């Protein structure tokens, strides 16, 4: 019988993870089944326990359960502990191992797929919620010359920077305080576009030749990338690559094989272009 994996979320029916892992499994000749599992908002732990009791080997975790998964895991990888969130669980007789592959996924997309060098460059991270926290450690490890967290609520940016003290050079500020600065890489980790509200970014933050990266993705260009283009950013990337790379990292953790990501990214992009409203 196929070994079982799944993604737990609420909502979860929009998830591309089943298609991504099915493609990885086919390409790597792995006999596994991967399903999307809708967990009740107050019933995540029980839902995962049922899955494990039925033979589940591993799971991805998405909104809104990443912090809860972090609390429930028996053991955490250092990067999951630093992120305070778990997006990948592995189950065995010793318990639940919690990992976080989001930051590694972002870094792989930036460096391997987009040819971006982070070492020695100026990086701006927009947002100070769970998404920002999940990628901060790996971003710092890539040794930018400067890394600034800017947030609508500056206190949260300062809090996040303080958590990471000792991990590297880190600044924190509000959006207006960015005036006069410019960056080589600007990453959107806010959920502002979900509210349909543009970020109030000052002019000039995108250095010539900079890359604007949105951790969100959607049909067509995201609101943040449209805004970045209007501010002069010429290189734009959405989070579809990060989605596939974080999945590949999870697949590697579970199966010990690193799948090729380029064909799966191409498949998702083609699918997105063909199926307007999906
Ligand atoms: P999550 O943990 O899932 O990432 P979150 O903790 O609500 O979600 O964080 C969302 C991030 O998007 C925060 O940085 C939030 O800014 P605040 O800390 O000021 O709330 C940011 N965000 C959400 N809507 C925004 C908007 N309309 N404008 C600017 N920032 C916004």
């Amino acid at each position: 019988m196929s070994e079982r994996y799944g993604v737990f979320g609420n909502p979860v029916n929009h998830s591309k993870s089943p298609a991504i892992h099915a493609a990885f499994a086919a390409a790597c000749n792995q006999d596994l089944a991967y399903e999307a599992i809708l967990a009740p908002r107050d019933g995540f732990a029980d839902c995962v326990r049922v899955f494990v009791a039925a033979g589940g080997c591993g799971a991805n975790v998405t909104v809104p359960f990443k912090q809860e998964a972090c609390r429930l895991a028996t053991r955490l990888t250092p990067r999951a502990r630093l992120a305070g969130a778990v997006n990948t669980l592995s189950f065995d007789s010793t318990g639940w191992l919690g990992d976080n592959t989001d930051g590694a996924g972002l870094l792989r997309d930036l460096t391997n797929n987009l040819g971006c060098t982070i070492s020695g460059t100026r990086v701006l991270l927009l947002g100070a919620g769970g998404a920002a926290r999940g990628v901060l450690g790996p971003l710092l490890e890539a040794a930018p010359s400067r890394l600034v967290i800017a947030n609508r609520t500056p206190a949260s940016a300062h809090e996040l920077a303080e958590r990471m003290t000792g991990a590297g050079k880190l600044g924190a500020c509000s959006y207006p305080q960015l005036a006069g600065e410019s960056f080589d890489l600007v990453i959107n980790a806010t959920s502002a576009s979900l509210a349909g509200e543009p970020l109030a970014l000052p002019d000039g933050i995108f250095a010539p030749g900079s890359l604007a990266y949105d951790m969100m993705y959607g049909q067509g260009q995201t609101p943040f990338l449209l805004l970045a283009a209007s501010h002069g950013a010429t290189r734009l990337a959405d989070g579809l690559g990060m989605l596939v790379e974080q999945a590949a990292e999870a697949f590697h953790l579970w199966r010990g094989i690193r799948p090729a990501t380029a064909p799966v990214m191409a498949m998702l992009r083609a699918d997105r272009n063909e199926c307007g409203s999906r």
Side-chain angles (χ1 to χ4, degrees):
M1 207 171 84
S2 304
E3 294 193 338
R4 283 183 73 199
Y5 297 84
V7 55
F8 290 83
N10 187 334
V12 78
N13 63 351
H14 66 285
S15 174
K16 297 188 189 302
S17 292
I20 294 171
H21 283 281
F24 288 164
C28 299
N29 285 320
Q30 296 289 297
D31 183 13
L32 61 86
Y34 188 108
E35 60 198 296
I37 300 164
L38 179 70
R41 281 178 183 260
D42 59 355
F44 170 70
D46 284 344
C47 207
V48 180
R49 282 186 198 111
V50 168
F51 181 73
V52 176
C57 301
N60 287 127
V61 181
T62 188
V63 175
F65 301 123
K66 289 184 183 183
Q67 278 85 1
E68 189 175 349
C70 191
R71 290 193 296 275
L72 289 168
T74 337
R75 284 173 297 136
L76 291 173
T77 60
R79 61 190 183 180
R81 185 171 296 111
L82 194 64
V86 157
N87 78 336
T88 305
L89 288 163
S90 297
F91 311 116
D92 66 17
S93 56
T94 65
W96 299 7
L97 172 67
D99 194 5
N100 191 314
T101 66
D102 284 333
L106 172 66
L107 265 290
R108 272 191 170 261
D109 193 33
L110 286 170
T111 55
N112 292 13
N113 303 332
L114 299 165
C116 182
T117 304
I118 294 174
S119 166
T121 64
R122 299 160 294 175
V123 178
L124 172 62
L125 183 62
L126 303 172
R133 188 167 147 176
V135 300
L136 200 48
L139 271 177
L140 275 167
E141 273 170 27
S145 61
R146 179 158 162 72
L147 176 51
V148 175
I149 308 167
N151 196 41
R152 176 178 61 180
T153 311
S156 312
H158 286 285
E159 211 173 290
L160 188 53
E162 273 156 31
R163 257 184 73 87
M164 299 283 167
T165 301
K169 264 188 217 162
L170 202 48
C173 64
S174 66
Y175 296 136
Q177 285 170 328
L178 291 169
E181 294 217 54
S182 54
F183 297 87
D184 306 298
L185 171 62
V186 180
I187 300 168
N188 177 33
T190 75
S191 53
S193 59
L194 296 180
E197 291 170 23
L199 295 172
L201 301 177
D203 288 335
I205 63 166
F206 295 93
S210 61
L211 172 65
Y213 191 99
D214 197 345
M215 284 169 55
M216 298 249 169
Y217 59 88
Q219 200 65 44
Q221 212 61 292
T222 68
F224 167 71
L225 294 177
L226 291 172
L227 181 75
S230 76
H231 278 250
T234 47
R235 299 177 62 214
L236 310 173
D238 71 13
L240 199 72
M242 174 180 170
L243 175 77
V244 176
E245 293 294 349
Q246 64 76 30
E249 190 79 11
F251 192 91
H252 180 247
L253 182 81
W254 294 327
R255 312 297 296 186
I257 300 169
R258 190 171 286 285
T261 50
V264 179
M265 271 176 227
M267 174 189 85
L268 292 180
R269 291 201 198 282
D271 195 37
R272 182 166 69 174
N273 293 340
E274 273 168 30
C275 309
S277 59
R278 238 201 263 174

